[in-house]
Amino acid sequence: MKNSFGNSMAVTLFGESHGPYTGVVLDGLAPGIRVDGAFIGKQLELRRPWGRISTSRVEADEYQIVSGVFGGFTTGTPLCILIPNRESSSGDYDVLSHTARPGHADYTAQCKYHGFQDYRGGGHFSGRLTAALVAAGAVVIPALKEKGILIGSHLKSCAGVQDDSFACEPGELARQIGEVNGKKFAVLNAEAGAAMQAEIEKASEEGDSTGGVIETAVTGLPAGLGEPWFDSIESLLSHALFSIPSVKGVQFGAGFDLADGRGSSFNDAFRVRDGRIVTETNNNGGINGGITNGMPVVFRCAVKPTASIFRNQKTVDFKVCEDTELALTGRHDPAIIHRARVVVDSVTALVIYDILSGRFGTDFFSGRK
Amino acid sequence: MKNSFGNSMAVTLFGESHGPYTGVVLDGLAPGIRVDGAFIGKQLELRRPWGRISTSRVEADEYQIVSGVFGGFTTGTPLCILIPNRESSSGDYDVLSHTARPGHADYTAQCKYHGFQDYRGGGHFSGRLTAALVAAGAVVIPALKEKGILIGSHLKSCAGVQDDSFACEPGELARQIGEVNGKKFAVLNAEAGAAMQAEIEKASEEGDSTGGVIETAVTGLPAGLGEPWFDSIESLLSHALFSIPSVKGVQFGAGFDLADGRGSSFNDAFRVRDGRIVTETNNNGGINGGITNGMPVVFRCAVKPTASIFRNQKTVDFKVCEDTELALTGRHDPAIIHRARVVVDSVTALVIYDILSGRFGTDFFSGRK
Amino acid sequence: MKNSFGNSMAVTLFGESHGPYTGVVLDGLAPGIRVDGAFIGKQLELRRPWGRISTSRVEADEYQIVSGVFGGFTTGTPLCILIPNRESSSGDYDVLSHTARPGHADYTAQCKYHGFQDYRGGGHFSGRLTAALVAAGAVVIPALKEKGILIGSHLKSCAGVQDDSFACEPGELARQIGEVNGKKFAVLNAEAGAAMQAEIEKASEEGDSTGGVIETAVTGLPAGLGEPWFDSIESLLSHALFSIPSVKGVQFGAGFDLADGRGSSFNDAFRVRDGRIVTETNNNGGINGGITNGMPVVFRCAVKPTASIFRNQKTVDFKVCEDTELALTGRHDPAIIHRARVVVDSVTALVIYDILSGRFGTDFFSGRK
Amino acid sequence: MKNSFGNSMAVTLFGESHGPYTGVVLDGLAPGIRVDGAFIGKQLELRRPWGRISTSRVEADEYQIVSGVFGGFTTGTPLCILIPNRESSSGDYDVLSHTARPGHADYTAQCKYHGFQDYRGGGHFSGRLTAALVAAGAVVIPALKEKGILIGSHLKSCAGVQDDSFACEPGELARQIGEVNGKKFAVLNAEAGAAMQAEIEKASEEGDSTGGVIETAVTGLPAGLGEPWFDSIESLLSHALFSIPSVKGVQFGAGFDLADGRGSSFNDAFRVRDGRIVTETNNNGGINGGITNGMPVVFRCAVKPTASIFRNQKTVDFKVCEDTELALTGRHDPAIIHRARVVVDSVTALVIYDILSGRFGTDFFSGRK
């Protein structure tokens, strides 16, 4: 496979930043899932640029479901979503046919596609394609919710400012997920959020950009999901998460903090609480041996600062193989992390849907008539 | 798939800690790769426990290649390696049929396999199976080397002690890789290495365990490998790396350090040097937009402290669903990171082999007669 | 996977007979393939209904390539083709929400999709979707031709009338392929063709339908393609061919005729001719042990008579589980075999493209700039 | 993939005719399937050569399950079966390193593996590997039986002699399946069986070989299995069946006989019988639109005459690219169809197991404790 993931339910992404449409095909959905157009719209709204902390290219993100839905429910056959591109201004980008923006894929696309790539606006590498992923995620998130599975993310850090952490206790965590899912700028601590936005604006004024860390939690998963070796929960999630542009690190539970500690501090003790087996702490992020243990699955993604900055940068003209300089113009995000968080949620939802379909069968999410 | 990875060359792992054999099948190898038995033995030696910093269960790690090799060369048909288990002492483990070791997969295996799992010594989850992975990696590492591709890892940190970092400059990095690949305890800074070993011994004496961070570099890869979305280089590597027991985080280039910085500091400027396009820094770990850029691919794995410790731990009896306590006896590693580094190298080699076979065809590594 | 095939180049099909679009995504195409719009149009024309031997629902088969092509060449990123449905008349089909047309998928769709299927015009099972397959095939057929690979089919039999067989000799066979590819009704023997059309018209007048056998040849393939066991050439081709509606049998070379003969009559003797190794006969259809031997790959597909007939048929109402009768009205083909032949060619081309990409790498078909 | 098939439960085959072991890995089995050693032995016995109608190379077919079984039940982790080769006499085969046996894979293996193939006894292409497939099938056949699913095959024709056909009525068919599964030479009509054996012996005396047609039925499958397009039941079965050596044709239901008939004769009328929906005839082999309709799935495989014959044959020396002649010596089967029938059953069982696991989840076959 190339541009697909998923075993029981496959996600295939297509499109270019300046083509007529980007889109996605979901193949393997259960029949009978109610498709909630308002929710899809709301999720796309969370991804859309806004305010002074985002690009001024604002797409309406109309979307059209052209197959796989009949009478408001999924049919069980491939569901294709199209999202038209309207706001593209290709004139801005001609220099990119031969000049590499540092931190971007212009040069690597040239090496891979030998000059045939659509270089306008990053082409197929563009963050525009995440709109299709968000729409796809919004098809399955309500189906997961019906099974008691909640997914939510917040900005654990941004531009050096720290947010609070998600709670370990599942009930409190579920409350926090509900809270952040309703927020445009997803933080637990409002003061931290204000400070982050101020830092992004400051970077923007300086022609620079910032990154951050997204913390994500999934509650309500049964114990026993995942595979011991190559399809561990960590493997399946990280595979999909690292496909999100700008994600350069993924860690589960205490992650890199585990590395320098002792086993006696980080082993999560099992206990029986209200007749259920739980762990007292969740340093392993709800996963032992690659398999879910019934505690919330918790992970963090490192999102690098947006590569597009308005400063003069040293680079090369890769057609003539010569040093040159590049100063970007046009519309760019000084940060994408606050928009990326809904992409992380969507990709996570698609992976979890796929895992549950494989484990419990393709009818697991089916609304039987 | 469950216990396999790879598209053009698939790796399938099988076996249990206390079964007659563990093993691996490599399906999709090129014909005509010289199989170097001495090198396989040397790599298994690097994984084998030694000294006071490892378990006293020392397996001979004899291995037998039972298919796919003829006259000393791969045939191109599936290559199966068997590794017999001899040193197993199943009597130590009966309690594990109903008691969960904290941090281990005993409870999650019960949830997934409904009590049918081979619970002896961790069964299929056992680190024993990494011996087969190391043998498999040792089949392809020389083939990669013939194409100019080198892979090496060192302990970037262990038990709180930091090693130096790999050099950014490819030539110096290649020298460092050669150096660490020959070392039993792979560090760049010998003093740091001695301090790490002292810390492991100290933990061991206290019945405790330690973890660390492994830094890995791959040099000599052509630019243009990987896919823009779901089969990005980060996706493919992390998928396989997270299948290694105890790995809880993976980051590429500056990874989580990127998150709190500015784009102006972390964008890697492109330059022409000796007619080749390179970057001045390598904060993106040799990968832009999921595709290799010709610089070394560099990443770090967080390895959690060994879950087996000799202290009394709170846990549950999952058969009767009651709280209990557990004090491990038997033979356990106070650290596995110094042994895990060759597992990381092997898994990396298998992933890289698969990617190159897909890109350049199944004959790419073939020794044509 | 569900609605996809291909390892190196994946084909994903979507859409319903009465939805806004059907379409296809090709993921894994090489960059730099010239996309020939006129040829795509010509191939779609061969599939389009015509004359008294086809349905009177004639779609314009406009198509739109919405991704993966830039400046007239493939980019190497997923190529999505949309084909709008305009001629649908949904009113004809309401009875199918609860009544099974014999020989059709109405009842099995109900069992699989629990009543959520789009039952209008066969929904996702409709032959309409083969237009997208034909368009997809038309993207890769010219790329195969540039490598010296030709694909062609003719109606070996139809309604009991036999056509001549393809020649064994590769040069003559190539000439025949060129000939049949230009024909609307693809036969080698014009008299046989006229008789077939007369039989189809006769069946049509009687409210009945006919089937036939399509013979297909692929010339110019190198020896050594395919895998010894589960990805044999026969396996890969039959997998895709059996997805074409109405195909109920596939045989290679002498096929079922081999079964009752002797080894001494059917073993194809190898000979050296003009410095190349060939076989004197081609009873094995160019394949030994699942691998191409350099001779033309030749196979036959049994196409059952069109299931839609205008006679009263016994069937069931599957909602109330009662016997009933059904007399179809509307527009239906008395035969589809003359239209199906270009679908067989297209599917064959996609499979061959995939096999060659896997063997020789994803750049094999690339037009390097 | 190369040497694997299956999505939810993958089958990977390895080994060579003259290597130490052939074997198979089943990855994705449910936990808790009782493994019946006596049944595995009985199935291997059906495949083993016997009498004057088979080769005199008779392997004991001892087998060893080295992973994935604990206490007599599957664990749910990969199950590896090894079958040792003992009766190999490599001296017979040296000429095959440069001479192609007509109808065999010697030349195509040379083209694919560039001379690195293990040419002894057909190497990896050898029918010996079907012993591992039979053992694998024997693990899942009892699990299918527990779900009410029966599989059986008989020799519909052999050496020009016809057997009766399987009954259409499911009850009678189940009885016939039970009958042929207990027979060493599987025919419905004992006289036909005697005539077939006489014909095989006659061919053998003449240094020649024969083939035939195997008819297979699967009863007890629920309606609604399979996918509308590329993973149709026909696609999945034919993919696996064409991997069996000597199979050159596969047809479902009336197959090629459908081609020359009329829709009015071949559409299977639906009826309600005892509250269940059935068809009056089964010309579509239990499959409509690629999906099971609840009737028995019935198909036929064409098995070509054994390629190994004792007559002088024209061929080439492919190392020096010259015409030569070849007269085989050694031990060869004058027919393999009576032994192949259990291979067809086994492969069918593995495919059906995989389909049911995908549809109903990986625990579908699990024996919950």
Side-chain angles (χ1 to χ4, degrees), chain B residues 321-340:
Chain B
C321 203
E322 275 180 14
D323 284 350
T324 183
E325 298 206 338
L326 183 70
L328 289 184
T329 56
R331 302 165 297 178
H332 303 290
D333 292 271
I336 52 108
I337 185 168
H338 54 294
R339 300 172 57 201

Side-chain angles (χ1 to χ4, degrees), chain A residues 257-267, chain B residues 52-54 102-104 158-160 196 198-212 246 303-311 313 328 332-338:
Chain A
D257 291 342
L258 284 164
D260 287 329
R262 287 280 184 91
S264 57
S265 311
F266 283 123
N267 279 352
Chain B
R52 281 176 298 175
I53 64 175
S54 301
H104 274 289
C158 174
M196 289 174 184
E199 285 296 320
I200 298 173
E201 288 185 31
K202 193 169 152 222
S204 179
E205 283 157 18
E206 296 170 13
D208 212 338
S209 66
T210 63
S246 297
V303 178
K304 72 172 186 173
T306 322
S308 298
I309 58 176
F310 290 96
R311 299 182 172 194
Q313 295 184 83
L328 289 184
H332 303 290
D333 292 271
I336 52 108
I337 185 168
H338 54 294

Side-chain angles (χ1 to χ4, degrees), chain B residues 255-276:
Chain B
F256 280 86
D257 290 343
L258 284 165
D260 288 329
R262 286 279 183 92
S264 57
S265 311
F266 283 123
N267 280 352
D268 299 306
F270 288 102
R271 295 279 89 179
V272 178
R273 293 279 179 273
D274 305 324
R276 282 187 65 237

Side-chain angles (χ1 to χ4, degrees), chain D:
Chain D
M1 289 305 116
K2 306 283 173 185
N3 239 44
S4 288
F5 72 94
N7 295 309
S8 293
M9 197 273 295
V11 180
T12 301
L13 198 60
F14 59 86
E16 276 83 29
S17 178
H18 291 219
Y21 297 99
T22 62
V24 65
V25 181
L26 301 182
D27 183 11
L29 285 173
I33 297 173
R34 186 184 295 274
V35 176
D36 182 344
F39 182 71
I40 299 173
K42 177 181 156 292
Q43 291 292 94
L44 286 170
E45 179 68 29
L46 290 177
R47 200 205 70 97
R48 201 168 297 138
W50 53 273
R52 280 177 299 173
I53 63 174
S54 300
T55 174
S56 59
R57 173 181 174 181
V58 181
E59 290 277 5
D61 286 342
E62 309 149 66
Y63 68 92
Q64 189 184 2
I65 300 181
V66 301
S67 68
V69 175
F70 183 53
F73 291 88
T74 58
T75 55
T77 56
L79 186 156
C80 178
I81 304 175
L82 296 180
I83 297 186
N85 290 316
R86 305 204 193 279
E87 278 289 309
S88 55
S89 48
S90 298
D92 295 0
Y93 289 100
D94 285 349
V95 68
L96 303 183
S97 69
H98 53 92
T99 316
R101 288 170 300 168
H104 273 289
D106 307 310
Y107 171 61
T108 55
Q110 171 74 17
C111 295
K112 181 171 175 63
Y113 300 117
H114 313 307
F116 293 102
Q117 68 275 14
D118 182 349
Y119 53 79
R120 299 169 303 165
H124 184 60
F125 292 82
S126 167
R128 268 299 289 158
L129 279 82
T130 60
L133 279 176
V134 168
V139 171
V140 303
I141 286 172
L144 292 167
K145 201 170 178 182
E146 284 217 359
K147 298 290 182 188
I149 297 160
L150 301 178
I151 297 169
S153 297
H154 71 111
L155 280 61
K156 182 66 196 66
S157 80
C158 174
V161 182
Q162 299 294 315
D163 191 18
D164 300 339
S165 291
F166 270 141
C168 178
E169 196 273 311
E172 170 61 8
L173 177 55
R175 196 198 58 74
Q176 290 176 327
I177 289 173
E179 186 187 319
V180 295
N181 280 348
K183 288 188 176 172
K184 224 164 166 182
F185 194 90
V187 286
L188 295 169
N189 181 320
E191 281 175 46
M196 288 174 183
Q197 293 183 57
E199 286 295 320
I200 298 172
E201 288 185 30
K202 194 172 150 218
S204 178
E205 282 157 19
E206 297 170 10
D208 213 338
S209 66
T210 62
V213 172
I214 295 172
E215 183 177 54
T216 303
V218 187
T219 65
L221 290 175
L225 298 179
E227 299 295 330
W229 288 88
F230 306 113
D231 280 355
S232 73
I233 294 291
E234 292 105 327
S235 294
L236 295 173
L237 279 169
S238 68
H239 189 134
L241 292 166
F242 271 120
S243 72
I244 301 173
S246 298
V247 171
K248 296 298 279 190
V250 175
Q251 54 180 329
F252 293 82
F256 279 86
D257 291 342
L258 285 165
D260 287 329
R262 286 280 183 89
S264 57
S265 311
F266 283 124
N267 279 351
D268 299 307
F270 289 103
R271 294 279 89 179
V272 176
R273 293 278 180 272
D274 305 323
R276 281 188 66 235
I277 292 171
V278 298
T279 60
E280 287 193 330
T281 50
N282 195 10
N283 294 307
N284 285 280
I287 307 165
N288 294 134
I291 316 281
T292 55
N293 64 14
M295 294 297 290
V297 168
V298 182
F299 54 87
R300 297 180 187 186
C301 294
V303 178
K304 71 172 187 173
T306 323
S308 298
I309 57 177
F310 290 96
R311 299 182 171 195
N312 220 31
Q313 295 185 86
K314 289 189 286 184
T315 188
V316 296
D317 180 317
F318 50 73
K319 287 261 168 88
V320 296
C321 203
E322 275 179 14
D323 285 350
T324 183
E325 297 205 340
L326 183 70
L328 288 184
T329 57
R331 302 165 296 178
H332 304 290
D333 293 89
I336 52 108
I337 184 168
H338 54 293
R339 302 171 56 201
R341 122 298 169 122
V342 69
V343 182
V344 169
D345 285 349
S346 300
V347 163
T348 301
L350 293 163
V351 172
I352 298 294
Y353 185 100
D354 177 47
I355 293 171
L356 287 163
S357 288
R359 177 63 186 279
F360 298 113
T362 50
D363 274 354
F364 180 64
F365 291 102
S366 171
R368 290 278 188 123
K369 267 188 186 171

